[in-house]
Amino acid sequence: MSDGQPRIGVLALQGDVREHVAALRDSGAEPVPVRRATELSEVDGLVIPGGESTTMSRLLDIFELIEPLRERVAAGMPTYGSCAGMILLAGTVVDGRPDQQQLAAVDMVVRRNAFGRQVDSFECELPVTGVDDGPVHAVFIRAPWVESVGEGVDVLARVPDIPSSGLAAGRIVAVRQGCVLATAFHPELTGDERVHRLFVETVRAA
Ligand code: GLN
């Protein structure tokens, strides 16, 4: 960590890497794209972006990153996953591919593509615990939701239980376990850095 600016990696194998890099920079961190184990060893925390979890899982194998990543996560590296990143962080995935790798950093069951095949995207105003000054405009794109969490997991947000939320009403969409944070939505796409700031604070505190 230099000048109080944590070095935060963005897993750069696939997905919306650039948007996370920009959001981290605007949140007071030094963002670093991570494609190799040596790069992973040099960061204070890691963001796993949205994209496609099955593809990312395959690329983690090909780039020989899966074991180093498991080790760092198990050793307590602060990690934040959005959407596909949330899926990778989960212990269990419903509707995943059988060979899909899990980092099991959060004791939760997530349902992949939960919002339905027809409903590719969904947006709502979402109050998030730990994020002050009003709800976050949450954008969900072929997103998972969390079906259940274990005892050590804090639920940070649920989709508002109102008719316009449809089947997603009341579903868990943001969680935290220790210094691991996961959201089913994409704060990197909206220009609102509050979720990234929350993560940067987590990295600083770790
Ligand atoms: N449906 C994707 C998956 O299974 C996630 C979509 C996203 O990250 N926007 O990985």
Side-chain angles (χ1 to χ4, degrees), residues 113-196:
N113 299 333
F115 288 77
R117 298 198 188 286
Q118 288 78 18
V119 188
D120 278 351
S121 70
F122 171 76
E123 300 186 16
C124 71
E125 299 308 308
L126 190 72
V128 180
T129 302
V131 172
D132 296 331
D133 301 324
V136 166
H137 183 72
V139 177
F140 299 86
I141 303 169
R142 294 187 61 75
W145 65 46
V146 180
E147 300 253 326
S148 62
V149 295
E151 259 173 31
V153 180
D154 296 323
V155 171
L156 303 185
R158 290 177 185 268
V159 174
D161 198 356
I162 52 177
S164 60
S165 300
L167 288 177
R171 292 295 184 169
I172 300 169
V173 288
V175 296
R176 151 174 241 150
Q177 182 167 12
C179 54
V180 180
L181 198 65
T183 64
F185 54 96
H186 292 271
E188 73 281 9
L189 298 182
T190 55
D192 177 348
E193 278 94 39
R194 287 178 294 163
V195 172
H196 286 82

Side-chain angles (χ1 to χ4, degrees), residues 1 6-8 44-46 78-79 198-206:
M1 210 178 292
R7 277 171 71 89
I8 301 188
D44 304 312
L46 184 74
T79 308
L198 177 64
F199 181 58
V200 172
E201 283 317 309
T202 304
V203 176
R204 272 190 223 282

Side-chain angles (χ1 to χ4, degrees), residues 11 46-49 53 56 60 66 69-70 73-74 77-93 100-110 153 175-177 179-183 199:
L11 186 66
L46 184 74
V47 171
I48 306 179
S53 58
M56 249 187 266
L60 281 168
I66 188 76
L69 185 50
R70 274 193 215 290
V73 168
M77 174 180 65
T79 308
Y80 166 46
S82 75
C83 203
M86 173 186 249
I87 296 172
L88 283 165
L89 288 171
T92 307
V93 178
Q100 180 159 6
Q101 303 265 14
Q102 294 309 131
L103 294 168
V106 180
D107 182 11
M108 63 178 169
V109 178
V110 300
V153 180
V175 296
R176 151 174 241 150
Q177 182 167 12
C179 54
V180 180
L181 198 65
T183 64
F199 181 58

Side-chain angles (χ1 to χ4, degrees), residues 55-68:
T55 307
M56 249 187 266
S57 161
R58 216 158 348 113
L59 291 170
L60 281 168
D61 266 336
I62 292 169
F63 281 71
E64 296 179 350
L65 264 172
I66 188 76
E67 285 314 320

